Amino acid sequence: MTSRNLLAFPLLLALTPSLAPAQSAPASVFGYTDFAAEWKIEQQFMAVPDAKLAGQHLKTLTAEPHLAATPEDHKTAEYVAEKFRAAGLETEIVPYRVLLNWPKVVRMEAWDAAGKLLISGPTKEHVDGDPGQDDPRVVMPFHGSSGSGDVTGEVVYANYGRLEDFDQLAAQHIDLHGKIVLVRYGANFRGVKVYIAQQRGAAGVLIYSDPQDDGYYKGDPYPLGPWRPETGVQRGSVQYLFKYPGDPETPGVASTPDLPDSARISPEGNQPHIISIPISYHDASPILKALAGPGAPLGWQGALPFRYHLGVVSGTGGVKVHLVSQQDYQRRIIWDVIGKVQGTQYPDDWVIAGNHRDAWVYGAVDPSSGTAAMLESVHGIGALLKTGWRPKRTIVFCSWDAEEEGLIGSTEWVEQHAKALERAVAYFNVDVAVAGPDFSAAAVPSLKQFIRELTRSVPSPLGATVFDQWRNERAEGNEHRASNAPKDDEEAHVGDLGSGSDFTPFLQHVGVPSTDIGSGGPYGVYHSTFDDYAWYVQNADPHFAYLQQMARVFGLEALRMADTDVLPYDYLTYGRAIESYIAAARRKASDTGAGSLDFASAEAAAGRFIAAAQTAHGRQLAATGDLGKLNSTLRQTETALVNEAGLPNRPWYRHTIYAPGEFTGYAAVVIPGVNEAIDAKDATRAGQQLGVLTQALGRAAQTLESIH
Ligand SMILES: [Zn+2]
């Protein structure tokens, strides 16, 4: 699962992997008193990650479907553990026992108003020549956390299933009780579509991939090109991860194999009870085509070659769908792989770098490109260890399981190690490492400059550095990026962390400063059986040059953070970001008529935080005195932004600045307590949440002020 990499990029480049990096040493690097010695270590590291070896890892990892908790998944855990051990990491395979559903029966049939059968499916995913599609271990398309049942109802089309889409249906007095809602993928997390549909009374949900969003409208479908073919289906979880991720029965508690069943709760707060089924546009098309009633509103029309309608016809019947879903829910064993290198100076201060390993099917891009890159990062760290080098801080590499079902392996591990993680200095995530040449990153503001600086040290397969290419992406007219990017053209854009991958428990539950990186491109086979090795070498990265690039960036994140003299957190940028979030919330509150809220205290607290950050920045540059104490104070500043009580109605999410939106799921909502209360037009709650924010900013400012 990932949130950021479904972007179009027009180039397909067949490049040979670059060999030794040619960058020259930066004059100075924030956090280092003298970077010269570290530069030599980094250059030794950078020479090791190998494109060809990364390609071999990818081939091995994608040889079989490896859904979480299957024997094939266990084999990939063994493979990763073997590579970790070979590099010299203290390695263990860590099991958890978690609730997962596997599909027994998934069926759908549709009839038009006259009772004529339109489609009986789902149709098997198939294209000419794909080598993996007929393997009996390919799991039938289904939704993780779906309900079971057998329902029949009339169909209503609801566009992307966003809150505003459902509201538009309500404004047209279209009642969804007992209806089957047909929505398309895109715009929000699929679990949100089902969440709102259930709230509005729907009996079931069909989610399909419209060719406008990742099919022929974008370019040639696989096997001719990279886009989604007619029968391609996006599997995925519909868990309510915006409530809490992880094992649905153990929020806040690690579901170790010996955790008694009596310590587990009902999962109903975290998953829908209605059925949802993912389908291809091959199966959705005859249904959509037969829908009558009002024409689809502006923006609701997709790329299928007929006019879309909402499907509600008063008096006469509409299109009827029969859905059957039998889900086998069991507590199953999953396996994280954890590999450590002990730090010499600050062994309790962990630098954590992680990637998930489980896939819906073969998972070449998602997530095996990440795992292949991580294994070559580990290869590079291993080469340093063989020279006698040891990091100052402990480095922990993590291969997470069951991410696809709801960030489960990472969440359980974080819940188990919450106390130790108060000292963890960073979590670096990679998920979809390579779908193409378009580098992107998201991070907490304190690490945005760290990422930019570091990518100046890594060569790009396109020439120059990763940073140069990244910065140029906007100039080259990447529409999506350009519209979201800041206006200055000096800086590469670093996004905010919402959810959709394993950084969520680290940042949003326990307050570990986090980043997420990837290299995107035209990628229309997300969560289908066609996300396989054959697709990857044809479309994404034929010579594995981008796996090598991502191995270098990912490994360098860990290496540079582990050895830094002073933690390179940029709290000035953080403070200014928070200040801008408060200003935006104030404007929104006055626009929506909730204008009597008092923002002054929160603004004053943000101002105090910024002033303290300025002083702290000077101390970080000077790097004198007790650096251990300076570092732990810098680290505690992020923890100060965590509120123990959590967000209203979703206490698992405790960060006061970042959370996945209740109605977006993937996209970040900033100062979520305040903004979601304003959105809900709840002035009392907004005032209370402004108080919580003010307190958190006061704590953070006070922490930083102790540096003087
Ligand atoms: Zn993923």
Side-chain angles (χ1 to χ4, degrees), residues 324-407:
V324 182
S325 165
Q326 286 174 26
Q327 301 297 326
D328 179 21
Y329 276 89
Q330 300 285 343
R331 296 189 186 111
R332 305 174 200 271
I333 299 291
I334 61 166
W335 306 275
D336 291 346
V337 185
I338 308 293
K340 279 185 192 163
V341 182
Q342 281 294 319
T344 53
Q345 197 172 337
Y346 303 110
D348 295 333
D349 294 5
W350 295 353
V351 174
I352 305 160
N355 152 257
H356 78 93
R357 191 188 66 251
D358 65 298
W360 285 114
V361 190
Y362 298 97
V365 168
D366 178 10
S368 303
S369 64
T371 309
M374 178 167 77
L375 290 179
E376 279 309 290
S377 305
V378 167
H379 183 200
I381 297 290
L384 293 182
L385 291 171
K386 287 182 177 73
T387 68
W389 167 89
R390 293 291 179 273
K392 285 184 185 163
R393 294 174 184 78
T394 294
I395 298 177
V396 187
F397 281 102
C398 308
S399 170
W400 308 120
D401 205 351
E403 187 269 358
E404 294 294 4
E405 284 81 354
L407 323 178

Side-chain angles (χ1 to χ4, degrees), residues 394-466:
T394 294
I395 298 177
V396 187
F397 281 102
C398 308
S399 170
W400 308 120
D401 205 351
E403 187 269 358
E404 294 294 4
E405 284 81 354
L407 323 178
I408 297 178
S410 59
T411 298
E412 299 313 310
W413 192 82
V414 165
E415 289 170 345
Q416 187 167 11
H417 299 281
K419 187 76 199 137
L421 290 171
E422 287 172 12
R423 297 186 57 107
V425 299
Y427 174 67
F428 299 121
N429 192 64
V430 66
D431 183 340
V432 170
V434 181
D438 183 6
F439 185 84
S440 70
V444 286
S446 54
L447 291 177
K448 288 187 176 184
Q449 200 54 30
F450 173 78
I451 291 275
R452 292 192 191 100
E453 190 169 32
L454 180 142
T455 55
R456 291 175 193 272
S457 293
V458 181
S460 164
L462 294 167
T465 66
V466 173

Side-chain angles (χ1 to χ4, degrees), residues 221-239:
Y222 184 61
L224 203 58
W227 295 104
R228 192 175 299 275
E230 187 174 345
T231 56
V233 182
Q234 181 189 136
R235 292 159 186 76
S237 171
V238 293
Q239 188 193 62

